[in-house]
Amino acid sequence: MAFTLYSLLQAALLCVNAIAVLHEERFLKNIGWGTDQGIGGFGEEPGIKSQLMNLIRSVRTVMRVPLIIVNSIAIVLLLLFG
Amino acid sequence: MHPGGLVAAGTPRQRKWPSKRRTPVSQPGMADPHQLFDDTSSTQSQGYGAQRGPSGLGYPAASASPQAAFLADPVSNMAMAYGSSLAAQGKELVDKNIDRFIPVTKLKYYFAVDTMYVGKKLGLLFFPYLHQDWEVQYQQDTPVAPRFDINAPDLYIPAMAFITYILVAGLALGTQDRFSPDLLGLQASSALAWLTLEVLAILLSLYLVTVNTDLTTIDLVAFLGYKYVGMIGGVLMGLLFGKIGYYLVLGWCCVSIFVFMIRTLRLKILADAAAEGIPVRGARNQLRMYLTMAVAAAQPLLMYWLTFHLVR
């Protein structure tokens, strides 16, 4: 199976793009995954759902600017080299 | 230097190690780095002494220099001192910066192995059923080096096993006339990509299940790298004895790795009570148990996936 490191990088870039595209107001709130809906009290165990919501929010915040750069590079490289 | 070097230049023995036998008029590019610092003739010393300093990082320039005339010349002496100070500065800079990206001191722990450890660990990987105590011993809060504790993870066996797997894959492809050099790179890249994907998936699931564990990323890479040993065994048996041998040995190694991973990860992922064998009820521990079993079950699958196309 031709599963190389490069295809892993491409898949990772696409996945991070997919997470970054989820809109807070139009989509996440409507399915109950908004960031102000999930954070419970200082209980012991944040469940899986709140961990996921935290993860989505942090990815969207942290990766916004690097994603612009990496996407531009990827677009230029794909245009030039196919 | 060896006086016969000039005369005996024609013999094949001399040609094999030209850097040690040739006189200073040889090309500097062909000599080894140690030779680069020693072998400066008096006509070229001023130019090369300072240039070779930063390029030969880490090698003390003041090592044994046989020509006395070279040392007596004060200008070349200064040049050599300058070159060696530049080399030391460069080495410090590289060391300081590389420690930021790759934790070198932490990595050194994983390579502190000796032959006894490697032998016992390989035996444990193929036959983990009789081993009783799977706890890692600690010494004042730091885990003991792998040399002293067979349960400690190391990176030597996974690294060696990975490289051996690539070579054995090349051998297997070669015996079937399917070999070409870029296939080796493809195999290496593919195995590395699967390893990275596994590590990322496990890290993600550990984060989601909020396991408070001291399982570091390098530990995880070490544990996931142990399956290459079984893969090598399977492919080699497949080369010798055909498909029957391959399936038998791979099946045995799969079960062994499954048991090994469960027993090792149970101590790291599950809570202390459950790790001692007492089945603790609770959604949290159940989830952790499922996670351990999923990680362990993924090993045989990947072992099969990465080797079945090599054995025909």
Side-chain angles (χ1 to χ4, degrees), chain A residues 1 3-5 45 51 55, chain B residues 189-190 194 207 210 284 305:
Chain A
M1 184 160 146
F3 179 42
T4 60
L5 274 177
E45 284 297 308
Q51 288 288 93
L55 186 64
Chain B
S189 191
S190 175
W194 277 112
Y207 170 77
T210 55
R284 228 181 63 198
W305 185 260

Side-chain angles (χ1 to χ4, degrees), chain B residues 145-161:
Chain B
R147 196 180 313 180
F148 305 116
D149 175 26
I150 194 182
N151 292 319
D154 71 313
L155 274 179
Y156 174 78
I157 293 181
M160 293 291 130

Side-chain angles (χ1 to χ4, degrees), chain B residues 167-191:
Chain B
L167 296 176
V168 167
L171 181 69
L173 288 173
T175 54
Q176 299 158 22
D177 284 334
R178 283 192 290 153
F179 180 77
S180 79
D182 44 323
L183 272 185
L184 269 186
L186 197 64
Q187 286 288 328
S189 191
S190 175

Side-chain angles (χ1 to χ4, degrees), chain B residues 84-164:
Chain B
S84 74
S85 82
L86 267 185
Q89 273 180 21
K91 180 175 185 317
E92 263 181 49
L93 199 67
V94 167
D95 279 344
K96 198 166 53 143
N97 278 331
I98 236 184
D99 210 29
R100 267 198 259 155
F101 299 116
I102 312 173
V104 177
T105 41
K106 274 197 263 175
L107 273 183
K108 278 191 194 168
Y109 160 80
Y110 290 97
F111 285 99
V113 294
D114 61 347
T115 326
M116 285 274 299
Y117 170 83
V118 172
K120 281 199 231 162
K121 192 84 181 193
L122 286 178
L124 201 64
L125 282 171
F126 283 116
F127 198 79
Y129 309 106
L130 296 180
H131 190 75
Q132 301 297 335
D133 180 24
W134 292 82
E135 276 275 348
V136 178
Q137 296 161 23
Y138 279 84
Q139 182 198 29
Q140 298 159 359
D141 270 356
T142 58
V144 174
R147 196 180 313 180
F148 305 116
D149 175 26
I150 194 182
N151 292 319
D154 71 313
L155 274 179
Y156 174 78
I157 293 181
M160 293 291 130
F162 180 74
I163 298 177
T164 314

Side-chain angles (χ1 to χ4, degrees), chain B residues 11-95:
Chain B
T11 62
R13 189 136 188 218
Q14 302 292 25
R15 276 220 192 99
K16 241 201 224 174
W17 303 293
S19 58
K20 293 230 166 49
R21 310 274 186 215
R22 284 208 202 145
T23 59
V25 289
S26 68
Q27 307 102 319
M30 286 192 50
D32 60 339
H34 192 72
Q35 186 67 11
L36 267 179
F37 272 89
D38 290 346
D39 195 13
T40 48
S41 60
S42 51
T43 56
Q44 301 166 336
S45 61
Q46 289 92 341
Y48 282 115
Q51 280 171 20
R52 282 180 197 162
S55 66
L57 284 176
Y59 286 96
S63 55
S65 182
Q67 293 99 339
F70 161 64
L71 271 184
D73 188 5
V75 181
S76 68
N77 208 359
M78 235 171 40
M80 201 167 77
Y82 178 63
S84 74
S85 82
L86 267 185
Q89 273 180 21
K91 180 175 185 317
E92 263 181 49
L93 199 67
V94 167
D95 279 344

